[in-house]
Amino acid sequence: MIDGSLTRKAQKQLYKAAREFKLDTNLLKILEKPMRTLKVSIPIKLDNGKTKVFTGFRCQYNNAIGPTKGGVRYHPNVSEDEVVALAAWMTWKCALLDLPYGGAKGGIICDPTKLSEAELERLTRRYTTEIMPILGPHIDIPAPDVYTTSKTMAWIMDTFSMFKGYTEPSIVTGKPEILGGSKGRKEATGKGLAIITREFFKAQKKSLKGAKIAVQGFGNVGGHAALFLSKMGATVVAASDASGCLVNPGGLDIPRLMECVEKYACIIKHPGKQIHRDELLFQDVDVLIPAALEDQIHKNNASKIKAKVIVEGANGPITPEGDEILEKRGVDVIPDILANAGGVVVSHLEWVQALSGLYWEEEQVNAELERKMVKAFKQVWDKATKRKVTLRCAAYLAAIERIAEVYRYRGLFP
Ligand code: GLU
């Protein structure tokens, strides 16, 4: 962990916005802490016959607006601290996008690349069973995140349904279409990010055509963001993942790169010039998209960034110290809670479809995604311009204003 605990960083961002907004200190006392975090032991039988006990979490940060919503990640770096911070960000993200949700996040400490499919299935099913007391379509709705996929969601849905005795498709989002998943959900985060980037260029009266882009983390989010941005006329000149980094000043062939990653799960199997993956952040580009993990840009490297704007595909890729350096240097940052919100926007549409049993065509899903993203961008941009604050601060203001309004009507129980 760089520059302190992740929860502390999430709190620092909240305090900054709270000062600007002059948020009621009593409300801040509620919002600075998670509502509940469940820590569970997950014993499973490995393929070799031995038992291994994993540790998992589910944090439901705040449910003032509605049922809590957020992904589940499988990664060796998962911790209670990380899950709480990510759940806080989901709370602000859902509030900013005007979704009827609070925020949550879950995770299991594991290296999913070292587990077989059968082991991952047992791990997912047992984790679901352990967090069952706090799950439900009107309580808390999981979704995919780092190293979890539509298949993981299918196992969660099946496990929940088996316990209930009926099929419950609205318990998760990001599931396969055949089980009630939404068209367009897989691409949604990357597509939303491309829409936000396009709107940012438009607001600055600049063209995306020929803008140079570097993408850190060529997974589902980074890959789709690169695809849609290149379709909009931008040139993706560098892309990295855990295996390495590919560069091409003339522009990488994104559809072929995606095919390669789909097949081999690693970018460097694709032919082309390679550089060290740590160099990706410092490429001479217009737009940098960190779409890997948190804490990538910090006090020790923020001054070396050459991009004019950073669009946060990952959650929390810049530390508050890194943020300050970038602000002083005049580098714009489009914050995670806006830039990567496309996923949860379509998750909401998926939940609505599953609850109603009426399924939408992809055009309808995409039109709603476009509408929501453009509206949220405008709100954040106008606020930032009017108050002369960063886009992150403006996004927090918009989110907190909505939550504060909800508390004003609901009051504090009892
Ligand atoms: N894990 C994604 C995120 O961080 C999606 C969450 C969801 O769809 O509920 O926004």
Side-chain angles (χ1 to χ4, degrees), residues 69-73 86 90 93 105 141-146 173 185 189 315 340-341 343-348:
K69 186 85 192 80
V72 177
R73 66 170 58 182
L86 291 163
M90 281 310 299
K93 196 186 294 184
K105 201 76 160 202
I141 307 117
D145 198 82
V146 176
T173 59
R185 174 61 185 84
T189 313
N315 292 307
N340 71 28
V344 73
V345 165
V346 176
S347 273
H348 170 238

Side-chain angles (χ1 to χ4, degrees), residues 252-272:
L252 296 162
D253 183 340
I254 302 302
R256 288 192 53 194
L257 211 49
M258 287 176 89
E259 264 169 40
C260 166
V261 171
E262 183 79 35
K263 201 158 157 199
Y264 303 107
C266 97
I267 205 169
I268 52 160
K269 290 269 183 198
H270 193 276

Side-chain angles (χ1 to χ4, degrees), residues 186 213-228 230 236-246 252-262 264-268 270 277 280 289-293:
K186 193 163 193 274
I213 297 187
V215 180
Q216 182 200 40
F218 200 80
N220 185 44
V221 178
H224 281 107
L227 182 71
F228 292 111
S230 56
V236 181
V237 296
S240 72
D241 69 7
S243 73
C245 179
L246 281 180
L252 296 162
D253 183 340
I254 302 302
R256 288 192 53 194
L257 211 49
M258 287 176 89
E259 264 169 40
C260 166
V261 171
E262 183 79 35
Y264 303 107
C266 97
I267 205 169
I268 52 160
H270 193 276
R277 68 179 175 153
L280 180 121
I289 302 174
L293 287 168

